[in-house]
């Protein structure tokens, strides 16, 4: 039978959001905290932890940094979106310190033992997990040459976990089309995630592929997903903690190459982007992969 729907997204009940922050000081040292949890006691990690009900994503990141390091901070941009489906989503930020005092061993508590500015190779330390190393590399590259504009969550409500898709097709001549849904006012396609228990621990890419499979020919395959932005408001409609991710992906030219593939259903159509400013911004994002990596 059909598994029951999970209903509105709520933290602690049917969703887990995690925040993580990468901070550097003026000497290019990175902020690391020493874990106090029994399962990883004494090991080192970036400031990170679970969001709590009623928090915004940015407020959760700032709280975790304060609790674990003693420092206050402000976000600069999202670095990456990491996910294992609606059941676990982590928002990695690049942030900068704005105040506070670094936690010492004398101030050790259940949140952390201490925090340090580490100037050496983090992999030389006993780490809680090596998954922070690619994020540190991503942060260092962003500081040298930002691949995408600063991207932060927007405080707009959403009851469910969903993806708003900008599916783009461009040819060698530089013409650009964007896929639109035609039901009602033309709009970017939106697909909900985790609406059944069977979907709950699958990745966000699966519902995107399902939508494309339903409306476009199977070949050519879409390019990688990139995050343009997201919206979330703590305790939105009905107390929900849903998120809408604005995603960009491209459809590479197929055998014809000059025009996008014909949709399989009249509920979708291709809109040719004629306005030069908008067309240029979308092409720039496509050409430089100028999105937050997923």
């Amino acid at each position: 039978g059909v598994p029951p729907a999970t209903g509105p997204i709520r933290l602690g009940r049917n969703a887990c959001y995690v925040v993580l922050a990468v901070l550097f000081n003026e000497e290019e040292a990175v902020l690391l905290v020493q874990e106090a949890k029994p399962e990883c006691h004494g090991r080192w990690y970036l400031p990170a932890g679970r969001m709590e009900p009623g928090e915004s994503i940015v407020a959760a990141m700032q709280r975790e940094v304060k609790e674990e390091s003693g420092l206050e901070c402000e976000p600069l941009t999202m670095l990456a979106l990491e996910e294992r489906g609606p059941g676990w989503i982590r928002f990695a930020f690049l942030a900068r310190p704005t105040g506070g005092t670094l936690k010492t061993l004398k101030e050790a508590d259940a949140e952390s033992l201490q925090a340090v500015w580490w100037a050496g190779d983090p992999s030389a330390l006993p780490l809680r997990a090596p998954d922070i190393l690619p994020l540190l590399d991503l942060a260092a590259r962003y500081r040298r040459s930002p691949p995408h504009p600063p991207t932060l969550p927007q405080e707009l409500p959403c009851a469910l976990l969903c993806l708003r898709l900008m599916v783009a097709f461009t040819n060698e001549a530089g013409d650009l089309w964007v896929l639109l849904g035609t039901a009602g006012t033309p709009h970017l396609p939106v697909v909900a995630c985790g609406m059944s228990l069977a979907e709950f621990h699958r990745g966000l890419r699966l519902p995107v592929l399902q939508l494309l499979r339903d409306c476009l020919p199977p070949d050519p395959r879409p390019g990688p997903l990139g995050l343009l932005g997201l919206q979330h408001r703590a305790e939105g409609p009905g107390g929900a903690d849903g998120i809408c991710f604005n995603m960009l992906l491209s459809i590479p030219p197929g055998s014809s190459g000059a025009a996008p593939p014909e949709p399989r259903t009249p509920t979708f159509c291709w809109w040719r982007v004629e306005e030069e400013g908008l067309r240029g911004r979308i092409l720039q994002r496509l050409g430089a992969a100028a999105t937050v990596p997923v």
Side-chain angles (χ1 to χ4, degrees), residues 224-240:
L225 284 175
L227 180 68
L228 290 169
L230 60 91
Q231 65 186 62
H232 167 268
R233 178 178 291 167
E235 298 181 342

Side-chain angles (χ1 to χ4, degrees), residues 9-11 52-56 157-158 232-242:
I9 296 296
R10 289 190 173 92
L11 285 176
E52 297 176 357
E55 283 187 315
S56 70
C158 186
H232 167 268
R233 178 178 291 167
E235 298 181 342
D241 288 295

Side-chain angles (χ1 to χ4, degrees), residues 5-291:
T6 59
I9 296 296
R10 289 190 173 92
L11 285 176
R13 194 181 79 177
N14 58 4
C16 175
Y17 302 154
V18 179
V19 290
L20 175 147
V22 182
L23 288 85
F24 295 92
N25 65 8
E26 295 178 353
E27 286 74 41
E28 304 298 318
V30 66
L31 179 66
L32 295 177
V33 296
Q34 193 172 31
E35 296 284 0
K37 302 179 186 69
E39 64 270 21
C40 52
H41 191 273
R43 294 185 174 272
W44 295 87
Y45 208 64
L46 293 168
R50 294 187 180 192
M51 277 178 60
E52 297 176 357
E55 283 187 315
S56 70
I57 299 172
V58 167
M61 182 274 293
Q62 292 172 317
R63 174 185 54 79
E64 287 291 346
V65 170
K66 179 68 173 178
E67 289 177 349
E68 296 190 355
S69 74
L71 300 182
E72 297 166 355
C73 71
E74 67 175 9
L76 299 175
T77 186
M78 279 188 59
L79 281 174
L81 174 68
E82 302 171 292
E83 55 90 15
R84 302 169 193 163
W88 188 90
I89 297 175
R90 185 163 75 175
F91 306 91
F93 287 89
L94 177 65
R96 72 176 188 90
T98 58
T101 305
L102 208 61
K103 181 186 281 191
T104 66
L105 281 172
K106 292 181 180 180
E107 301 163 304
D109 55 21
E111 299 295 336
S112 67
L113 300 179
Q114 63 176 323
V116 300
W117 289 110
W118 182 257
D121 182 359
S123 63
L125 292 171
L127 298 177
R128 169 182 162 184
D131 63 337
I132 64 171
L133 297 176
L135 293 174
L136 290 172
D137 182 58
L138 197 62
R141 294 204 309 270
Y142 188 95
R143 296 176 80 222
R144 289 194 301 268
S145 178
H148 58 80
T151 305
L152 294 173
Q154 301 298 307
E155 290 207 18
L156 295 169
C158 186
L160 302 174
L161 195 70
C162 56
L163 306 171
R164 182 184 290 117
L165 305 175
M166 181 180 286
V167 182
F169 178 95
T170 183
N171 58 22
E172 292 183 358
D175 301 316
L176 174 68
W177 290 262
V178 170
L179 188 69
L180 296 181
T182 59
T185 302
H187 59 276
L188 294 175
V190 177
V191 58
C193 308
M195 293 304 294
S196 71
L197 296 178
E199 299 173 345
F200 199 65
H201 294 289
R202 299 179 183 179
L204 299 182
R205 188 175 176 84
L206 188 65
V208 175
L209 294 176
Q210 182 64 53
L211 181 143
L212 295 178
R213 191 160 48 240
D214 291 344
C215 72
L216 295 177
D219 189 53
R221 295 183 178 181
L225 284 175
L227 180 68
L228 290 169
L230 60 91
Q231 65 186 62
H232 167 268
R233 178 178 291 167
E235 298 181 342
D241 288 295
I243 298 176
C244 184
F245 298 100
N246 297 319
M247 314 295 289
L248 176 66
L249 71 160
S250 61
I251 303 295
S255 55
S256 60
E262 190 69 24
R264 289 180 169 182
T265 165
T267 56
F268 293 94
C269 70
W270 289 101
W271 171 60
R272 185 166 178 171
V273 182
E274 302 283 0
E275 199 275 310
E276 284 300 318
L278 177 61
R279 177 176 159 276
R281 289 195 298 274
I282 297 175
L283 289 175
Q284 188 275 330
R285 289 290 192 110
L286 287 170
T291 56

